[in-house]
Amino acid sequence: MTGQATRSVHAPGRGRRPVDAVAAARHAHGRPAVWDALRRLKGGTVTELSKASGAPTRTVRGFLQTLEFAGLVTRGGPPGPLDGARYQTTRELPVLMPELRPDGTEAPETGRARMWRTMKMLSTFTAQDLAIAATLPGAKVALAEARKYAVTLSRAGYLATIKPGTPHGGLATYRLVRNTGPQAPQIQRRATLFDPNQGQVVWAEWERA
């Protein structure tokens, strides 16, 4: 954990966050947490996997259906509601969770995944460099999205600022200084940064001093 990721846990305007809420934010949640539970347990029911992962049963249920379509789990047990079925992995699951569509087919690489890969290839870069390099025919990465991703990674300690931006719109220049693995860190809805390579939230907006 970097110094930036362990700073104050005060949320602006809301006082200090409860210790249990801070601890909970440090662990994988949602589908990554279900994936980790499946890797450990090799299977289980919706209820068992929900308890093991901390994910809501609706998240577990939908993800298991996707994994079943993808051929990564099989469903057994008596016919009836999905929650009563027992799922079993069909093979040793890799550490890296695949990006899958709801029908189980592999999803195309996201813009942030392409930006993360680009950061490893360039010695220094601006948000515009990232947007241009990550744009594909029919899959454009907007400059605003590239700036948001770069700024968040910088605040989380993944990027060093080589040259700051200017008040008149000049873009900052960055360098990648924390390469944790092949999967792109993900900005989540509650203003946190989840690193799938480490399986945990590594930075939160409400932790900023």
Side-chain angles (χ1 to χ4, degrees):
M1 201 67 62
T2 66
Q4 285 133 310
T6 56
R7 290 183 295 186
S8 168
V9 292
H10 287 76
R14 290 185 291 177
R16 187 175 181 84
R17 289 177 64 96
V19 174
D20 59 344
V22 175
R26 287 294 171 209
H27 296 87
H29 56 279
R31 288 191 170 196
V34 179
W35 180 261
D36 290 345
L38 276 170
R39 291 188 64 247
R40 295 194 315 270
L41 303 176
K42 312 301 181 186
T45 66
V46 169
T47 300
E48 290 169 348
L49 291 169
S50 177
K51 290 180 178 178
S53 65
T57 54
R58 65 180 181 276
T59 298
V60 177
R61 191 182 303 116
F63 191 37
L64 285 173
Q65 189 172 46
T66 294
L67 295 177
E68 186 178 8
F69 289 149
L72 295 174
V73 301
T74 56
R75 175 161 44 100
L82 295 181
D83 289 11
R86 177 165 292 277
Y87 293 81
Q88 190 75 28
T89 56
T90 60
R91 68 197 74 168
E92 187 74 22
L93 299 181
V95 175
L96 302 181
M97 184 184 76
E99 292 293 332
L100 300 173
R101 297 187 181 94
D103 65 359
T105 57
E106 188 172 353
E109 190 177 36
T110 65
R112 286 178 182 174
R114 297 194 299 271
M115 284 192 284
W116 178 246
R117 182 157 45 83
T118 298
M119 292 176 186
K120 302 175 186 180
M121 299 167 61
L122 301 177
S123 55
T124 62
F125 50 85
T126 66
Q128 187 172 39
D129 295 329
L130 294 179
I132 292 172
T135 290
L136 296 177
K140 181 179 179 180
V141 174
L143 176 58
E145 173 63 16
R147 292 184 70 170
K148 177 181 178 181
Y149 195 48
V151 168
T152 301
L153 290 183
S154 175
R155 290 172 177 171
Y158 285 73
L159 304 181
T161 302
I162 305 304
K163 180 182 177 182
T166 68
H168 302 291
L171 297 176
T173 301
Y174 302 99
R175 181 177 68 242
L176 180 66
V177 293
R178 187 182 179 197
N179 178 6
T180 56
Q183 288 192 300
Q186 304 165 6
I187 301 175
Q188 300 185 315
R189 291 180 182 177
R190 37 185 203 174
T192 59
L193 185 71
F194 175 78
D195 190 333
N197 304 296
Q198 301 183 66
Q200 63 179 350
V201 171
V202 295
W203 179 85
E205 178 71 21
W206 44 261
E207 286 189 341
R208 295 176 61 193

